[in-house]
Amino acid sequence: MLEEVEHWLTRRSWSVAERPLDRLLAAKAARGTTVSVVLPALNEEETVGGIVSVVRHELMERAPLVDELVVVDSGSTDRTSEVAAAAGARVVHRDAILPRLPALPGKGEVLWRSLLVTSGDVVCFVDADLRRFSAGFVSGIVGPLLTDPEVQFVKAVYDRPLGAAGTGVAADTGTAAGADTSMAAGSGSAGAGGGGQGGRVTELVARPLLNLHWPRLAGFVQPLGGEYAARRSLLERLPFPVGYGVELGLLVDALHTVGLDALAQVDVGVRFHRHQDERALGRMAAAIYRTAQVRLSRGHLVRPELTQFERGGDGFVPRTHPVDTEERPPMREIAEYAARRAA
């Protein structure tokens, strides 16, 4: 690990317990900072309501940390929108945002469009499939942005137990469920087991790519995690890969835009969520590799497709899937966004 990264780990890796809620509220009030929480959602009726309820009750009604809570529905066929609205979120359909641009499928597309329907100085993204959700997932990653003006982008750190999806919603709102709040600075080294264990795509694809090509990002424990917060002033300057590559793309581009010392991570405990099957992971990996390749060469893939195999009645059957190849430009280049900001 680079000496610069070791130093960064001691300066920019924290635990959620290091910033109590009263300290965050005081810092928020002192600077007049506003906070938006965005949940991108696709067929998450089982979990989205619990997440929205915790954020609204603990971080809006009990303590005014969050100013805006938005669920962006990217085309759900279940009751995701109804459940989220009943729990207290403002629900916006992806296709209703910037309708002159036909929406592309993918999580990154939803995150990009969310900048047009939110107004917070700090934007916090949270996946909508989390179980045992705690308010610490939000307060933890928003905290450094409220208390340290030099920090621009914060990723969540957590244990991610494979095969333990969990049920229910945690009642503990001070820290994430099961949080180990004794995370020593520098203890969350990339590639470690236990608290440093990422998902399968992280360990097999993203972490090797980052260590080999962007070694200054080797200290991030969960580079592909869906829980992160950033200043709007940074997000509006970054291009957004429309699909699975959005997390890696934003992290790499944030490094090049504001530098390593403006990036940080916070240990929020344990993350329980639905796991993908191997074929979905393969498509995810291909999109992430493509996102890395574009940033290395700014060139084009010769063949932006991935062929996988499924066993059929007569043997293995090839299935070919397109790899996400589209990226949305920095939001500040969109006329509607510029007009809204100027109003």
Side-chain angles (χ1 to χ4, degrees), residues 89-275:
R90 176 162 63 95
V91 179
V92 184
H93 195 282
R94 173 200 62 195
D95 297 345
I97 308 170
L98 201 62
R100 72 173 176 85
L101 275 181
L104 296 168
K107 177 184 177 183
E109 177 83 349
V110 174
L111 300 184
W112 182 72
R113 288 176 184 256
S114 76
L115 297 181
L116 265 166
V117 293
T118 56
S119 58
D121 303 312
V122 169
V123 182
C124 174
F125 298 124
V126 176
D127 281 350
D129 65 342
L130 302 188
R131 300 180 185 274
R132 303 190 192 180
F133 179 77
S134 162
F137 271 78
V138 171
S139 63
I141 57 178
V142 166
L145 296 163
L146 297 176
T147 60
D148 190 335
E150 295 181 357
V151 175
Q152 300 262 344
F153 187 99
V154 183
K155 296 282 291 189
V157 173
Y158 40 74
D159 287 316
R160 186 179 180 276
L162 185 62
T167 58
V169 177
D172 176 11
T173 59
T175 62
D180 175 8
T181 57
S182 62
M183 175 183 174
S187 66
S189 59
Q197 184 179 25
R200 288 164 286 176
V201 177
T202 293
E203 300 301 341
L204 297 177
V205 181
R207 204 179 305 286
L209 282 171
L210 292 175
N211 276 262
L212 290 171
H213 298 295
W214 295 281
R216 296 172 70 203
L217 296 174
F220 277 92
V221 179
Q222 296 288 355
L224 300 185
E227 289 68 51
Y228 49 102
R231 299 193 189 280
R232 176 177 296 272
S233 57
L234 171 61
L235 290 174
E236 66 186 13
R237 297 161 63 191
L238 303 180
F240 277 60
V242 300
Y244 289 127
V246 63
E247 272 82 30
L248 184 134
L250 290 178
L251 186 60
V252 169
D253 291 343
L255 171 70
H256 292 308
T257 303
V258 295
L260 180 60
D261 200 51
L263 314 182
Q265 60 187 353
V266 175
D267 185 354
V268 297
V270 183
R271 185 184 196 267
F272 296 94
H273 69 115
R274 183 183 64 251
H275 294 288

Side-chain angles (χ1 to χ4, degrees), residues 214 238-241 245-246 248-254 256 289-299 327-328:
W214 295 281
L238 303 180
F240 277 60
V246 63
L248 184 134
L250 290 178
L251 186 60
V252 169
D253 291 343
H256 292 308
Y289 182 82
R290 175 262 168 194
T291 300
Q293 184 190 48
V294 168
R295 276 150 184 76
L296 288 168
S297 64
R298 293 295 170 183
E327 294 200 8
R328 293 303 192 184

Side-chain angles (χ1 to χ4, degrees), residues 9-88:
L9 281 167
T10 66
R11 283 175 44 80
R12 295 298 191 224
S13 291
W14 296 291
S15 161
V16 62
E18 293 182 58
R19 289 179 174 83
L21 194 55
D22 57 352
R23 179 186 171 193
L24 300 186
L25 293 173
K28 181 179 188 293
R31 294 183 171 89
T33 306
T34 54
V35 177
S36 298
V37 173
V38 173
L39 276 69
L42 177 63
N43 296 328
E44 302 294 357
E45 67 176 1
E46 294 184 3
T47 51
V48 68
I51 299 170
V52 169
S53 294
V54 170
V55 174
R56 172 157 288 283
H57 177 66
E58 301 298 337
L59 299 179
M60 298 181 79
E61 297 169 352
R62 177 187 270 181
L65 187 74
V66 173
D67 301 280
E68 186 176 39
L69 174 56
V70 179
V71 170
V72 183
D73 190 330
S74 60
S76 298
T77 57
D78 65 2
R79 298 181 61 254
T80 290
S81 290
E82 294 89 336
V83 170

